[in-house]
Amino acid sequence: MKDSYGRDITYLRISITDECNLRCIYCMPEDKADSCAAPCSSQMSADEIVEIAQEAVKLGITKIRITGGEPLIRPDVVDICRRISSLPGVRELAITTNGMLLADMAYDLKKAGVSRLNISLDTLQTDKYTRITRRGKYEEVVDGIRKAMDAGLTPIKINTVLIGGFNDDEIQDFAELTRDGQVEVRFIELMPIGACAGFPKHAFIKGKVVLEKLPELVEMAHSGVARMYRYPDGKGRIGIISAVNQHFCLDCNRIRLTCDGKIKPCLHSREEVLVRGLHGEELSREIKRAIIEKPAQHVKLTYGYTSETSRYMNQIGG
Ligand code: SAM
Ligand code: SF4
């Protein structure tokens, strides 16, 4: 279905929980209770999530991403994936995960119809990983990535949020991972939202630093919201997602569903449309309303100009 600006809305991101087993310093406060600027009431059941997804698919959604919080901490995540991937009309089912629990679940997720995985990894150094996530174990993510490759969930996409003074010295190390084509790396600009809204100015670096550090990269066709590159002799792709400095609102084809049953037409807006508890025609009408009310673009974002959403990223799903 098209929104009021002619954009075809085909992509739904579903946050199935706002709980997380990590506490990345730019995403969530140490104490989760502090992130509830807009408190999440109880999270939806699998039945509620699938019913909303089904109605959205009838309206033209073809791609669904499961996210969180950390989606793999939900005991019923494989069941949710199986049910969503088998909805007629779903062409792609993806998951964004921190990878901590992936090793034991990769095969089951593949069998449940998951076609793609994005794994968040902001550093390739063990001690820095524990520092940025406050409690993560680097070896567990690496193990998860290996098992996901064995399970055939390739190419694995690694999401790396660029944080000035933290990982801009690792840009080349990340890019090198793409040489043999098993892994794609996506550098994402840090957005001033939630826990990182008060970070110092130097933390907010532009996506173009990747090209300044790696001038040999060759441009490829764009992929969704990412500008894509590769090494001249590389098989894998390197993406840059400049959500802050070169926003892509004109091409935005997505809406988001929070774990407490509200549709966010735009990540950075306060507007939310409650769909939990609705069924059939009524549910369809409210999803349509969320699509129609999707704003043309989000507010200016940069250091000093924070997102208008009242939620933290773990409550939205990225
Ligand atoms: N827990 C899962 C994970 O980390 O992959 C899924 C949820 S997480 C909120 C989704 C994505 O949002 C992650 O790749 C994370 O790095 C990214 N993210 C969180 N806060 C961000 C921010 N302020 N700016 C840019 N990306 C952010
Ligand atoms: Fe959890 Fe993902 Fe946020 Fe890190 S980025 S705290 S893993 S939700």
Side-chain angles (χ1 to χ4, degrees):
M1 172 182 163
K2 288 203 192 307
D3 71 3
S4 6
Y5 300 93
R7 294 169 297 196
D8 210 1
I9 306 303
T10 54
Y11 181 13
L12 172 65
R13 298 174 64 105
I14 307 178
S15 170
I16 61 172
T17 179
D18 62 348
E19 301 281 348
C20 189
N21 46 359
L22 301 184
R23 290 289 184 277
C24 301
I25 56 171
Y26 56 85
C27 175
M28 257 182 107
E30 174 87 68
D31 179 359
K32 179 185 165 261
D34 294 341
S35 73
C36 292
C40 282
S41 46
S42 63
Q43 65 191 25
M44 290 189 288
S45 66
D47 286 348
E48 289 177 295
I49 293 168
V50 174
E51 184 178 2
I52 296 167
Q54 186 169 20
E55 217 51 51
V57 169
K58 285 189 204 155
L59 293 172
I61 295 292
T62 56
K63 173 177 174 181
I64 294 185
R65 177 174 299 278
I66 304 294
T67 176
E70 174 47 40
L72 302 193
I73 65 173
R74 254 187 90 138
D76 54 0
V77 62
V78 174
D79 179 48
I80 292 172
C81 288
R82 188 179 306 111
R83 292 171 65 183
I84 289 182
S85 71
S86 52
L87 292 174
V90 172
R91 290 201 206 123
E92 189 179 331
L93 176 65
I95 297 185
T96 300
T97 171
N98 61 34
M100 297 291 292
L101 302 174
L102 185 56
D104 289 340
M105 299 173 79
Y107 279 92
D108 290 340
L109 292 171
K110 174 77 180 172
K111 265 197 276 169
V114 173
S115 33
R116 286 177 179 280
L117 278 185
N118 286 53
I119 301 174
S120 303
L121 187 61
D122 302 319
T123 174
L124 299 171
Q125 298 174 23
T126 316
D127 53 332
K128 278 171 78 175
Y129 185 76
T130 308
R131 219 176 337 129
I132 193 86
T133 62
R134 291 199 181 100
R135 55 187 69 169
K137 292 204 178 71
Y138 180 72
E139 303 72 30
E140 290 178 11
V141 192
V142 173
D143 195 23
I145 293 174
R146 281 204 199 98
K147 295 277 171 22
M149 283 174 173
D150 292 348
L153 286 159
T154 49
I156 301 284
K157 291 186 184 171
I158 293 188
N159 283 3
T160 302
V161 177
L162 289 168
I163 307 168
F166 176 73
N167 60 7
D168 41 345
D169 58 338
E170 293 189 65
I171 288 173
Q172 183 170 4
D173 298 341
F174 273 106
E176 288 295 335
L177 300 176
T178 65
R179 292 252 189 213
D180 69 3
Q182 294 240 62
V183 166
E184 175 172 321
V185 172
R186 299 187 151 218
F187 293 105
I188 302 169
E189 285 181 349
L190 179 67
M191 292 182 266
I193 174 173
C196 68
F199 275 20
K201 191 172 183 180
H202 71 258
F204 295 91
I205 51 177
K206 295 187 176 172
K208 70 177 185 192
V209 298
V210 173
L211 302 177
E212 286 162 9
K213 295 216 180 227
L214 306 171
E216 65 272 44
L217 294 186
V218 180
E219 189 158 9
M220 303 172 71
H222 293 190
S223 168
V225 298
R227 283 170 296 135
M228 303 305 298
Y229 303 85
R230 64 173 171 80
Y231 278 119
D233 61 346
K235 293 197 184 125
R237 304 192 298 175
I238 297 164
I240 302 178
I241 302 182
S242 301
V244 177
N245 288 292
Q246 267 187 317
H247 69 77
F248 33 76
C249 304
L250 275 178
D251 297 320
C252 185
N253 64 347
R254 57 190 67 183
I255 52 173
R256 294 171 166 82
L257 175 62
T258 64
C259 69
D260 54 350
K262 291 167 184 160
I263 293 188
K264 285 185 75 66
C266 170
L267 165 60
H268 295 296
S269 152
R270 274 180 183 270
E271 191 187 352
E272 299 181 346
V273 176
L274 179 66
V275 290
R276 187 177 197 176
L278 305 180
H279 309 281
E281 270 305 301
E282 225 184 347
L283 173 56
S284 180
R285 191 190 63 223
E286 288 305 286
I287 300 174
K288 281 184 200 155
R289 183 161 77 81
I291 293 175
I292 295 290
E293 290 182 5
K294 188 172 167 64
Q297 62 179 70
H298 60 63
V299 290
K300 176 178 175 173
L301 286 181
T302 182
Y303 173 73
Y305 293 86
T306 51
S307 174
E308 284 187 347
T309 185
S310 52
R311 291 182 186 254
Y312 277 58
M313 267 305 216
N314 68 298
Q315 298 178 308
I316 304 174

Tab-separated table of all heavy atoms in Angstrom, residues 36-56:
chain	number	residue	atom	x	y	z
A	36	CYS	N	12.397	3.437	30.245
A	36	CYS	CA	10.966	3.474	29.972
A	36	CYS	C	10.394	4.885	30.032
A	36	CYS	O	9.545	5.192	30.871
A	36	CYS	CB	10.227	2.517	30.885
A	36	CYS	SG	10.628	0.818	30.484
A	37	ALA	N	10.926	5.756	29.171
A	37	ALA	CA	10.366	7.096	29.054
A	37	ALA	C	8.909	6.975	28.620
A	37	ALA	O	8.051	7.705	29.062
A	37	ALA	CB	11.165	7.899	28.044
A	38	ALA	N	8.651	6.031	27.699
A	38	ALA	CA	7.275	5.684	27.341
A	38	ALA	C	7.147	4.222	27.743
A	38	ALA	O	7.491	3.345	26.972
A	38	ALA	CB	7.055	5.843	25.846
A	39	PRO	N	6.713	3.972	28.978
A	39	PRO	CA	6.803	2.604	29.487
A	39	PRO	C	6.089	1.596	28.595
A	39	PRO	O	4.978	1.847	28.135
A	39	PRO	CB	6.120	2.690	30.854
A	39	PRO	CG	5.999	4.137	31.162
A	39	PRO	CD	6.012	4.877	29.871
A	40	CYS	N	6.758	0.484	28.325
A	40	CYS	CA	6.124	-0.592	27.580
A	40	CYS	C	5.241	-1.359	28.554
A	40	CYS	O	5.699	-1.743	29.629
A	40	CYS	CB	7.172	-1.551	27.030
A	40	CYS	SG	7.990	-0.917	25.577
A	41	SER	N	3.997	-1.559	28.199
A	41	SER	CA	3.186	-2.452	29.008
A	41	SER	C	3.614	-3.863	28.616
A	41	SER	O	4.615	-4.029	27.945
A	41	SER	CB	1.704	-2.196	28.745
A	41	SER	OG	1.487	-2.101	27.372
A	42	SER	N	2.861	-4.873	28.975
A	42	SER	CA	3.335	-6.227	28.725
A	42	SER	C	3.522	-6.484	27.224
A	42	SER	O	2.837	-5.899	26.393
A	42	SER	CB	2.323	-7.211	29.290
A	42	SER	OG	1.110	-7.041	28.601
A	43	GLN	N	4.489	-7.349	26.919
A	43	GLN	CA	4.732	-7.611	25.504
A	43	GLN	C	3.664	-8.534	24.920
A	43	GLN	O	3.045	-9.324	25.624
A	43	GLN	CB	6.127	-8.164	25.295
A	43	GLN	CG	6.378	-9.511	25.910
A	43	GLN	CD	7.862	-9.867	25.899
A	43	GLN	OE1	8.735	-9.023	25.861
A	43	GLN	NE2	8.142	-11.142	25.932
A	44	MET	N	3.477	-8.422	23.621
A	44	MET	CA	2.420	-9.186	22.957
A	44	MET	C	2.773	-10.668	22.912
A	44	MET	O	3.948	-11.048	22.880
A	44	MET	CB	2.209	-8.674	21.535
A	44	MET	CG	1.571	-7.301	21.482
A	44	MET	SD	1.093	-6.860	19.801
A	44	MET	CE	2.676	-6.572	19.042
A	45	SER	N	1.741	-11.497	22.833
A	45	SER	CA	1.945	-12.940	22.669
A	45	SER	C	2.271	-13.224	21.206
A	45	SER	O	2.066	-12.375	20.329
A	45	SER	CB	0.658	-13.686	23.041
A	45	SER	OG	-0.350	-13.360	22.093
A	46	ALA	N	2.732	-14.455	20.943
A	46	ALA	CA	3.002	-14.864	19.563
A	46	ALA	C	1.735	-14.725	18.710
A	46	ALA	O	1.782	-14.238	17.567
A	46	ALA	CB	3.519	-16.296	19.535
A	47	ASP	N	0.589	-15.122	19.262
A	47	ASP	CA	-0.670	-15.046	18.499
A	47	ASP	C	-0.973	-13.601	18.093
A	47	ASP	O	-1.379	-13.333	16.956
A	47	ASP	CB	-1.845	-15.569	19.331
A	47	ASP	CG	-1.824	-17.089	19.450
A	47	ASP	OD1	-1.040	-17.723	18.714
A	47	ASP	OD2	-2.570	-17.630	20.285
A	48	GLU	N	-0.787	-12.688	19.039
A	48	GLU	CA	-1.084	-11.275	18.736
A	48	GLU	C	-0.149	-10.742	17.644
A	48	GLU	O	-0.577	-10.042	16.724
A	48	GLU	CB	-0.924	-10.420	20.007
A	48	GLU	CG	-1.997	-10.654	21.049
A	48	GLU	CD	-1.735	-9.843	22.312
A	48	GLU	OE1	-0.716	-10.101	22.984
A	48	GLU	OE2	-2.533	-8.944	22.631
A	49	ILE	N	1.137	-11.102	17.748
A	49	ILE	CA	2.117	-10.617	16.770
A	49	ILE	C	1.781	-11.152	15.369
A	49	ILE	O	1.762	-10.413	14.385
A	49	ILE	CB	3.547	-11.059	17.188
A	49	ILE	CG1	3.959	-10.340	18.472
A	49	ILE	CG2	4.559	-10.802	16.067
A	49	ILE	CD1	5.221	-10.900	19.122
A	50	VAL	N	1.495	-12.454	15.319
A	50	VAL	CA	1.244	-13.076	14.007
A	50	VAL	C	-0.041	-12.501	13.384
A	50	VAL	O	-0.098	-12.243	12.169
A	50	VAL	CB	1.168	-14.620	14.130
A	50	VAL	CG1	0.768	-15.251	12.796
A	50	VAL	CG2	2.514	-15.178	14.605
A	51	GLU	N	-1.036	-12.255	14.202
A	51	GLU	CA	-2.292	-11.694	13.666
A	51	GLU	C	-2.045	-10.314	13.032
A	51	GLU	O	-2.537	-10.023	11.936
A	51	GLU	CB	-3.332	-11.587	14.794
A	51	GLU	CG	-4.685	-11.102	14.285
A	51	GLU	CD	-5.737	-11.030	15.395
A	51	GLU	OE1	-5.425	-11.324	16.565
A	51	GLU	OE2	-6.894	-10.658	15.054
A	52	ILE	N	-1.254	-9.486	13.696
A	52	ILE	CA	-0.984	-8.147	13.145
A	52	ILE	C	-0.130	-8.270	11.876
A	52	ILE	O	-0.393	-7.610	10.865
A	52	ILE	CB	-0.287	-7.258	14.205
A	52	ILE	CG1	-1.229	-7.026	15.397
A	52	ILE	CG2	0.140	-5.916	13.591
A	52	ILE	CD1	-0.564	-6.426	16.628
A	53	ALA	N	0.852	-9.174	11.920
A	53	ALA	CA	1.705	-9.366	10.738
A	53	ALA	C	0.861	-9.820	9.544
A	53	ALA	O	1.015	-9.334	8.419
A	53	ALA	CB	2.802	-10.385	11.042
A	54	GLN	N	-0.051	-10.731	9.818
A	54	GLN	CA	-0.903	-11.271	8.747
A	54	GLN	C	-1.728	-10.157	8.083
A	54	GLN	O	-1.836	-10.089	6.860
A	54	GLN	CB	-1.825	-12.320	9.351
A	54	GLN	CG	-2.660	-13.065	8.335
A	54	GLN	CD	-3.349	-14.259	8.981
A	54	GLN	OE1	-3.510	-14.322	10.210
A	54	GLN	NE2	-3.751	-15.206	8.164
A	55	GLU	N	-2.272	-9.292	8.887
A	55	GLU	CA	-3.095	-8.194	8.361
A	55	GLU	C	-2.219	-7.213	7.563
A	55	GLU	O	-2.626	-6.706	6.520
A	55	GLU	CB	-3.774	-7.485	9.541
A	55	GLU	CG	-5.175	-7.006	9.284
A	55	GLU	CD	-6.142	-8.026	8.720
A	55	GLU	OE1	-6.253	-9.130	9.269
A	55	GLU	OE2	-6.813	-7.702	7.697
A	56	ALA	N	-0.997	-6.987	8.078
A	56	ALA	CA	-0.083	-6.073	7.382
A	56	ALA	C	0.323	-6.656	6.030
A	56	ALA	O	0.436	-5.932	5.030
A	56	ALA	CB	1.157	-5.807	8.245
